[in-house]
Amino acid sequence: MTAAHHDAPRTVTVTVIGAGTIGLGWITLFLGHGLRVRVNSRRAEAPRIVAEALDLFAPYLPEGLADRATFDERLEFEPDLERAVAGADIVVENAPENLELKQELFERIGKAAPATALLLSSTSTLNPDDMGARMADSSRLVVGHPFNPPHVVPLVEVVAGERTAPGAVREAVEFFESVGRVPVVLRKPVLAFAANRLQSALLRESVHLVREGVVTVEELDRVVVHSIGLRWATVGPFLAFHLGGGQGGLRKWLGTLGSGLERGWEALGRPPMDEPTVNTLIEQAERAYGSRSYEEWVRERDAKQTAILRTLATTQSGDGA
């Protein structure tokens, strides 16, 4: 009797469309998790750009993932879209935020990719039904919107359309969890999704405070890092104010300190993004941050954020909340 033959588990192939900032982060993350990555980019210099990004980003992947030295054996480049998605298990689209462009891409992807492939878009604003409007079947198209940089920040907003199959949403959640992300399925579609709306609200008031001369760009960043940023890295807005209410929780806080919220909201700024405002922001940012290179700032950002994530992982409560 011969011994039973067991096939080695097949390596999942992910086609990443686009080698911009988000695409490069995804490529690094997927390779770190042992996946086979096929990069689709029409840029002749794509291999060089990807190699430089891997060298820059890989040191900040979670500990225990694949060694950077093994990445190249699972990495390939295919500038032809149809060939790039043929045989792929998962396709992750990161093209510019242009609806017509994405509709054309997904029409072609739908014809060339396997019927079983999970189709994901990193769009920050568009609905799956709109992007898949020219597809014969867009039921496996799901938004998986990351927060930059995607190889470090865990959040992925998962958004379905009316034509999206529930099974595809479940697959998307399982896939993102398998690569160490924290997917949150939005319960209803909303323009710009959730995380960017929150970021935009804070950015609007930040611009207002700088424009009014209350603080500089650099001082505003320090204010956030040493207060709200620190707080939100651990508890989030609602739990923060629930704790702010003491033993009475959010019920007490909303009945006392939170009772004047609407008046405070009315006093928030609505700064025009006119030329003087834009110039002020750019000049102050370049004066504050222009003395160091992009690569130096990225290394510092990623080192600090991964250190926070490591600390959070070791102090996580038993229920994972």
Side-chain angles (χ1 to χ4, degrees):
M1 181 181 294
T2 57
H5 175 71
H6 297 285
D7 291 331
R10 188 177 64 84
T11 302
V12 171
T13 297
V14 182
T15 296
V16 176
I17 298 173
T21 304
I22 299 298
L24 293 170
W26 280 139
I27 291 165
T28 307
L29 182 73
F30 300 154
L31 288 170
H33 280 270
L35 306 182
R36 184 172 299 281
V37 177
R38 192 180 297 153
V39 178
N40 172 249
S41 173
R42 290 178 296 182
R43 299 161 76 180
E45 66 273 25
R48 175 185 59 79
I49 292 170
V50 171
E52 290 174 355
L54 292 175
D55 290 338
L56 180 62
F57 295 159
Y60 305 103
L61 288 172
E63 294 168 10
L65 295 191
D67 187 344
R68 164 70 179 96
T70 69
F71 287 7
D72 291 346
E73 63 196 42
R74 288 179 282 106
L75 175 65
E76 59 183 290
F77 295 85
E78 178 49 75
D80 181 86
L81 179 67
E82 281 73 15
R83 286 199 295 266
V85 302
D89 299 293
I90 299 164
V91 177
V92 180
E93 172 272 319
N94 310 278
E97 204 72 347
N98 177 300
L99 178 58
E100 190 172 334
L101 170 62
K102 290 183 188 286
Q103 286 178 336
E104 179 195 350
L105 279 174
F106 279 111
E107 181 182 22
R108 293 170 62 190
I109 292 167
K111 294 174 181 176
T116 56
L118 178 64
L119 310 181
L120 299 170
S121 174
S122 296
T123 180
S124 57
T125 59
L126 300 173
N127 182 286
D129 289 343
D130 293 336
M131 291 186 291
R134 288 160 53 176
M135 299 176 70
D137 177 11
S138 63
S139 64
R140 295 186 58 75
L141 172 54
V142 186
V143 167
H145 172 241
F147 216 60
N148 193 34
H151 63 287
V152 175
V153 181
L155 176 72
V156 180
E157 294 175 297
V158 176
V159 186
E162 290 185 10
R163 294 195 294 274
T164 307
V169 175
R170 287 193 298 271
E171 285 182 44
V173 168
E174 290 169 2
F175 169 66
F176 287 123
E177 288 178 340
S178 76
V179 291
R181 302 304 85 185
V182 178
V184 175
V185 180
L186 299 195
R187 295 171 180 267
K188 59 188 293 187
V190 59
L191 182 64
F193 313 141
N196 273 344
R197 290 176 72 96
L198 293 170
Q199 182 170 245
S200 181
L202 182 62
L203 181 61
R204 187 178 80 173
E205 187 61 18
S206 300
V207 172
H208 170 70
L209 292 171
V210 171
R211 188 174 184 273
E212 293 299 308
V214 178
V215 287
T216 65
V217 162
E218 184 181 23
E219 289 163 349
L220 189 285
D221 281 351
R222 275 194 279 145
V223 166
V224 172
V225 167
H226 295 285
S227 63
I228 306 167
L230 176 63
R231 174 187 286 174
W232 287 355
T234 57
V235 294
F238 286 118
L239 179 52
F241 290 121
H242 184 60
L243 297 174
Q247 295 294 343
L250 192 61
R251 181 184 298 276
K252 179 183 176 184
W253 189 86
L254 287 173
T256 54
L257 295 172
S259 60
L261 277 176
E262 285 188 81
R263 289 196 302 275
W265 290 338
E266 289 169 3
L268 293 175
R270 299 184 65 87
M273 291 305 290
D274 53 17
E275 189 173 347
T277 302
V278 171
N279 288 340
T280 295
L281 297 174
I282 292 172
E283 288 165 8
Q284 290 192 17
E286 289 178 346
R287 189 159 57 245
Y289 304 127
S291 62
R292 298 174 66 188
S293 70
Y294 167 78
E295 289 78 11
E296 288 173 319
W297 281 117
V298 165
R299 289 190 189 98
E300 180 173 317
R301 175 200 67 189
D302 290 358
K304 288 179 176 178
Q305 291 180 348
T306 51
I308 291 169
L309 289 169
R310 279 196 299 271
T311 301
L312 290 173
T314 60
T315 57
Q316 202 86 324
S317 60
D319 61 1

